[in-house]
Amino acid sequence: MTAGMVAMLIICAIVGVGSLAGFYAGSRRTMDLEQWAVAGRGFGVVFVWLLMAGEIYTTFTFLGASGWAYSRGGPALYLIAYMPLAYAISFFILPPIWEIGRKYHLQTQPDFFQLRYGDKRLSALVALIGVIFIIPYLQLQLVGLGIIVEIASFDKIHRARAMVGASILVAGFVLLSGVRGVAWVSVIKDFLLLFAALFIAFAIPHIYFGGFGPMFAQLAHAKPSHLVMPGATTNLGHSWYASSVLLSALGFFMWPQSFGASFTARNSDILRRNAIVLPIYNITLPLMFIVGYAALLVVPGLRDGDLSLLTVVRKTFPPWFLGIIGGAGALTAMVPASIQILTAATLLAKNLIRPVIAPGMNDTQVAVVAKTTVIFITTAAVISAVFSHTTLVSLLLLGYSGVTQFLPGVVLGLFWKKVATSGVFAGLVTGIAVVAIMGLSGHDPFVGVNAGFIALCCNCVVVIAVSKVFPSSPFSFNVDSATSSKKAALAAK
Amino acid sequence: MALLFAAVPFVAMCFTVPLWDRIYPMVLGLPFNLFWLMLWTLLTPVCLWMAYRVEVSRNAKQSNSESGDEPQ
């Protein structure tokens, strides 16, 4: 048996066990849309934690972070900073969103816009933009899977073919198991990822250099500029770092799937406690950085930084170990990909197709349409993945610059009664337009600042200006008094 | 008050970047910027826990003294 076959067999075994666990967890309940998409709103601390960790710690944690540490250096540090800050923000905005979600039976992010602004064109636009910007994130997962198979098979299986195969598996998994199955697979994935991250981050520096200290001493001597910003780039300095951290932290829970995951909680206190403990998990990210830096010394000159982690693992350890790491990585790509597909399908069916094209559909038909759109969304991401060649982190940043544009509509909608529907509409269109223009014309970053952040600022200004010029009647969510006093506490401070 | 606690990690990890984006002094064998961010990854839960304490006690007070509608 060749080394490639050993590694691939172990990866297949891990993916197989993970998928079976998901199918089993999903098959024990009948699946209406409420159960499929928000698991009947019955998750406690542990499951919400697992689901959120499941969609947050994706293949980019694994390959993208080490990849940027390898190829860009210092600027990649923004990845470590933004997540803890995102949890700090979620501490304040998720609980009120959950209260409203429970009262009005919201399942998706556009549902929230529909309720708050009462305009189905706006919620349909939110759904459409959400789906469009989930695609690069989904693409990121598929590219990650492709990289894993390519490296683990010792370049015998081509990346494009691996991505097509993986996407069929992921789509099948989503169709059969729904959100509950995904949370269960997340358990397996998190343990493997944690183990893999800890082990390789300590073992690789130890094997080649005798520890962190000698390794970084050597790196600081050989490439001192790589370790600080702007690292190996010319335009990603401190202002880019700060603007990217803010953009990503603010946009984090604007991802339709993360927004939706908060609805699976049993009560809003669970979300606050989650925000406190989730940053601890984030410690895996700096470990990936260390591997990326080590790879820079051990396997210099790779054409694609995203290959660095697996290449250095392949060079250092026997094939069966590469298989375990690859299997952990594959689940790390599959779980978030499933959640993203599931969310995008629900958005398309419930918030775009039903209100705009076929208003007469009942919930069962919506669930059927949602499952059909799974196939279209997966296909779109595969096509995009096969034909584009950007780094994993660039895909992530593209997604963030899009979804963060929902922020003014959500936050002002929660805490400012007089925000106007037309203002949110205009702001959203402005923000997306700025992102598109700057991105397509190659002006990102613009004068050293992340273009998505500039777009967000333009967006906020437009929302506030239009709301001042065309005032709308004050809006109230009418949640019961106990919760409104909680919100009052948040709003007053 | 709760917002103030939550603002601490933002100052530490985001706005002060020119102050800590350096290699030396190395701590635990790590470049200073990497060490600093790891440290604050672990300190952020502490800040949020304090914010949580503040909020729990505020809610307890408010439900006693029956507050009205949500202020701006």
Side-chain angles (χ1 to χ4, degrees):
Chain A
M1 204 154 39
T2 65
M5 281 169 72
V6 173
M8 285 306 296
L9 266 178
I10 291 175
I11 291 178
C12 290
I14 291 174
V15 168
V17 169
S19 310
L20 283 179
F23 289 144
Y24 176 70
S27 66
R28 286 187 304 171
R29 289 172 196 258
T30 50
M31 288 280 167
D32 56 2
L33 196 63
E34 178 94 355
Q35 197 54 254
W36 194 60
V38 294
R41 258 174 262 270
F43 282 2
V45 172
V46 176
F47 262 90
V48 174
W49 189 82
L50 286 171
L51 186 64
M52 288 200 168
E55 64 199 26
I56 289 162
Y57 300 102
T58 71
T59 189
F60 110 86
T61 322
F62 217 57
L63 304 177
S66 54
W68 257 43
Y70 180 91
S71 63
R72 306 289 200 278
L77 289 169
Y78 103 89
L79 292 166
I80 302 181
Y82 85 82
M83 279 200 222
L85 300 181
Y87 301 130
I89 294 172
S90 82
F91 184 89
F92 296 96
I93 63 170
L94 288 192
I97 289 172
W98 184 89
E99 300 284 355
I100 295 160
R102 184 198 48 171
K103 172 133 198 249
Y104 296 97
H105 303 287
L106 305 184
Q107 289 167 336
T108 64
Q109 188 180 35
D111 284 354
F112 175 85
F113 276 83
Q114 175 68 46
L115 171 73
R116 174 62 183 82
Y117 300 105
D119 187 328
K120 74 176 182 190
R121 288 166 305 171
L122 179 62
S123 58
L125 181 68
V126 169
L128 185 66
I129 293 173
V131 173
I132 289 173
F133 284 94
I134 279 181
I135 302 250
Y137 205 174
L138 183 56
Q139 180 188 342
L140 184 163
Q141 313 301 344
L142 294 178
V143 172
L145 278 167
I147 290 173
I148 289 166
V149 172
E150 184 181 303
I151 301 266
S153 67
F154 288 74
D155 308 319
K156 290 277 177 352
I157 301 176
H158 190 258
R159 194 189 291 187
R161 207 178 298 160
M163 288 192 292
V164 174
S167 62
I168 294 170
L169 185 67
V170 171
F173 180 65
V174 173
L175 289 174
L176 292 170
S177 61
V179 72
R180 197 174 286 272
V182 169
W184 272 106
V185 187
S186 209
V187 180
I188 302 172
K189 174 212 110 174
D190 284 338
F191 275 111
L192 274 175
L193 176 67
L194 205 57
F195 155 76
L198 280 170
F199 185 79
I200 58 180
F202 283 94
I204 289 174
H206 190 79
I207 290 169
Y208 289 100
F209 310 97
F212 292 154
M215 180 188 111
F216 279 109
Q218 193 177 334
L219 196 59
H221 182 71
K223 300 185 182 214
S225 63
H226 194 83
L227 291 172
V228 293
M229 290 163 231
T233 67
T234 52
N235 52 7
L236 307 182
H238 289 155
S239 52
W240 180 86
Y241 169 89
S243 56
S244 298
V245 167
L246 284 179
L247 174 81
S248 307
L250 291 169
F252 196 77
F253 281 96
M254 295 302 123
W255 281 105
Q257 70 274 22
S258 304
F259 198 96
S262 63
F263 294 141
T264 60
R266 202 183 305 128
N267 63 53
S268 61
D269 199 49
I270 286 175
L271 295 169
R272 283 202 194 87
R273 299 210 304 248
N274 245 294
I276 299 174
V277 294
L278 268 168
I280 297 171
Y281 200 106
N282 208 44
I283 208 72
T284 50
L285 258 181
L287 297 175
M288 293 296 141
F289 266 68
I290 292 169
V291 178
Y293 284 146
L296 190 62
L297 291 171
V298 178
V299 285
L302 292 178
R303 66 187 154 82
D304 181 353
D306 294 331
L307 301 174
S308 61
L309 182 136
L310 289 171
T311 308
V312 75
V313 167
R314 185 170 75 178
K315 186 179 155 75
T316 313
F317 299 106
W320 63 266
F321 189 80
L322 176 65
I324 293 180
I325 301 289
L331 285 185
T332 316
M334 276 179 60
V335 171
S338 309
I339 299 172
Q340 287 151 6
I341 294 174
L342 203 139
T343 309
T346 312
L347 293 187
L348 272 183
K350 183 165 190 262
N351 301 103
L352 193 64
I353 295 173
R354 174 155 76 172
V356 177
I357 297 167
M361 285 198 293
N362 61 32
D363 276 1
T364 324
Q365 286 166 315
V366 172
V368 172
V369 174
K371 290 182 178 186
T372 319
T373 54
V374 164
I375 295 155
F376 290 102
I377 292 159
T378 317
T379 313
V382 172
I383 292 170
S384 175
V386 171
F387 291 103
S388 87
H389 299 281
T390 45
T391 63
L392 297 176
V393 177
S394 308
L395 288 171
L396 186 75
L397 277 169
L398 172 66
Y400 268 109
S401 59
V403 294
T404 310
Q405 309 308 325
F406 297 144
L407 183 86
V410 171
V411 172
L412 293 175
L414 279 176
F415 300 119
W416 187 28
K417 287 178 187 175
K418 289 180 184 161
V419 60
T421 307
S422 53
V424 173
F425 221 124
L428 188 55
V429 172
T430 310
I432 296 295
V434 172
V435 168
I437 291 167
M438 286 189 164
L440 295 175
S441 65
H443 282 87
D444 184 15
F446 186 71
V447 292
V449 178
N450 188 315
F453 187 71
I454 297 175
L456 179 64
C457 296
C458 299
N459 181 343
C460 289
V461 169
V462 170
V463 174
I464 293 170
V466 173
S467 300
K468 287 282 184 200
V469 176
F470 306 102
S472 62
S473 49
F475 178 90
S476 171
F477 285 109
N478 291 322
V479 275
D480 54 72
S481 67
T483 56
S484 74
S485 72
K486 247 182 220 167
K487 270 171 63 192
L490 295 173
K493 267 284 122 188
Chain B
M1 242 347 238
L3 270 186
L4 220 61
F5 278 118
V8 173
F10 278 85
V11 174
M13 296 176 93
C14 182
F15 301 118
T16 53
V17 51
L19 300 179
W20 50 259
D21 181 29
R22 43 166 71 225
I23 300 177
Y24 301 103
M26 286 200 182
V27 185
L28 305 171
L30 302 170
F32 190 75
N33 51 10
L34 190 58
F35 164 77
W36 180 258
L37 289 176
M38 283 177 91
L39 177 72
W40 279 95
T41 300
L42 297 176
L43 287 179
T44 302
V46 178
C47 296
L48 290 181
W49 183 74
M50 309 260 258
Y52 183 71
R53 302 289 309 166
V54 169
E55 240 176 56
V56 167
S57 63
R58 173 179 295 273
N59 283 340
K61 261 182 225 158
Q62 279 211 335
S63 47
N64 288 341
S65 63
E66 189 51 63
S67 69
D69 259 338
E70 172 193 355
Q72 280 304 311

